[in-house]
Amino acid sequence: TSTPTLQAATSCGWNSVGGIVLTDETMTTKRVKIQESYCNEDLNGTWGQLMNAAGANRQDQEAPFADIMGAYYVKKAANLNQNLMFNGDTGSGNASLAHYDGFVKLWNADADLNVYTTTHPTITSSNALDIAIGLYNAIPAILFDNEEQIEIMVGRETYRDIIQQNYDDNNFHYNIEEETGSEPSFILPTTNVRVRAYSQLNGTQNMFAVPLNYMFYGTDLEGDYEGFEFKYNETDENMRFGVKFRSGVSYVFPEYFTRVDFTVS
């Protein structure tokens, strides 16, 4: 933070006014791992057998087992890690989520977060668009002034409810054009802010408007495939897959993050 002022420059000299204050934000990461093994005998009769024992015409049936399984586990690990980033809860009985508190728990418990309170008791297909617009209107204006990248994060049900209300209200002049994929998105009608559906928010009433540049993920991996190992253990005749990495999340300036709270009028 800093507090500069405009001064008259009618003479030579240097007159400092204000100053910069730098503060630290600690990010704690946890060491996590995924380890699995496949018994050689269990692969008999499957396409994976081709990678274990030579057979007739094997040279014509080569299957890149390690590459295929490696790609599979990279995707699985990414999904497990994103689940932890969003829904991590140290009080959870879920072994995959108990390593640290994720964004959802942190944002819902943060008293410094900006809050948009709606009188609607729940999100439905008849009010989701209204609530989303109300959330947009509650976003601190300074984020727009500084051209920060803002995104409204919701679950798939809320995502569909917003589109449904826009259609039911005959807002055809605000046509919603979706960007498809595992996390589909669209520009919220009458705004320039993108709404994106995250599977980690499915089945919840959570809606967050977040400045993406203020969110941080900590890891010691340099890339998606970094740290992943796939090898055959001849002693116990097992094919083993494993990866270890650090994972942690943090965010700064909570007053610029906005969440929806519900209250019955």
Side-chain angles (χ1 to χ4, degrees):
T1 57
S2 63
T3 56
T5 62
L6 287 175
Q7 304 176 58
T10 55
S11 62
C12 296
W14 188 273
N15 301 300
S16 298
V17 176
I20 296 176
V21 178
L22 301 176
T23 56
D24 294 336
E25 177 68 23
T26 301
M27 177 182 290
T28 301
T29 59
K30 297 293 183 179
R31 189 78 164 161
V32 295
K33 67 179 182 179
I34 296 175
Q35 292 179 333
E36 287 190 350
S37 61
Y38 297 87
C39 173
N40 190 53
E41 294 301 317
D42 291 340
L43 295 174
N44 287 336
T46 71
W47 62 268
Q49 180 182 0
L50 296 175
M51 296 302 294
N52 296 325
N57 301 318
R58 179 172 184 247
Q59 68 275 12
D60 298 324
Q61 303 178 52
E62 221 32 88
F65 187 77
D67 292 338
I68 293 174
M69 295 302 290
Y72 168 79
Y73 273 106
V74 166
K75 188 171 182 63
K76 292 291 288 186
N79 185 61
L80 286 170
N81 192 49
Q82 185 159 311
N83 290 343
L84 175 61
M85 291 167 61
F86 272 86
N87 294 326
D89 185 346
T90 54
S92 170
N94 187 324
S96 293
L97 300 178
H99 303 286
Y100 59 78
D101 290 336
F103 285 125
V104 172
K105 182 177 179 180
L106 294 173
W107 289 338
N108 282 328
D110 195 334
D112 293 327
L113 221 70
N114 186 38
V115 175
Y116 164 63
T117 302
T118 176
T119 56
H120 295 290
T122 186
I123 299 174
T124 69
S125 60
S126 62
N127 63 27
L129 176 61
D130 298 332
I131 295 174
I133 293 296
L135 173 61
Y136 169 84
N137 291 334
I139 295 173
I142 191 173
L143 294 178
F144 298 109
D145 296 340
N146 292 330
E147 298 183 341
E148 291 291 347
Q149 184 180 1
I150 305 168
E151 185 173 279
I152 293 179
M153 298 180 172
V154 299
R156 184 62 65 91
E157 299 88 352
T158 299
Y159 179 92
R160 292 303 307 166
D161 283 341
I162 295 173
I163 295 176
Q164 189 65 51
Q165 186 188 352
N166 187 71
Y167 177 82
D168 291 342
D169 289 353
N170 297 319
N171 293 328
F172 300 119
H173 49 299
Y174 297 128
N175 184 42
I176 288 180
E177 296 183 1
E178 295 184 76
E179 289 189 358
T180 59
S182 60
E183 294 172 350
S185 68
F186 60 83
I187 298 298
L188 184 66
T190 75
T191 79
N192 61 351
V193 170
R194 185 165 295 278
V195 177
R196 189 178 304 277
Y198 288 87
S199 61
Q200 289 77 20
L201 299 180
N202 288 351
T204 75
Q205 296 285 298
N206 287 310
M207 294 181 67
F208 303 103
V210 304
L212 296 178
N213 289 334
Y214 297 174
M215 297 170 59
F216 299 92
Y217 167 64
T219 185
D220 54 356
L221 296 180
E222 295 182 0
D224 288 344
Y225 283 86
E226 184 77 19
F228 287 79
E229 294 183 341
F230 201 86
K231 56 189 176 182
Y232 182 71
N233 187 300
E234 295 183 357
T235 302
D236 53 14
E237 297 181 321
N238 275 338
M239 302 190 74
R240 292 182 172 178
F241 169 85
V243 61
K244 293 182 179 180
F245 59 95
R246 287 195 169 274
S247 180
V249 296
S250 185
Y251 61 98
V252 295
F253 304 121
E255 64 272 21
Y256 298 138
F257 289 74
T258 307
R259 72 167 185 263
V260 172
D261 279 357
F262 300 87
T263 182
V264 179
S265 59

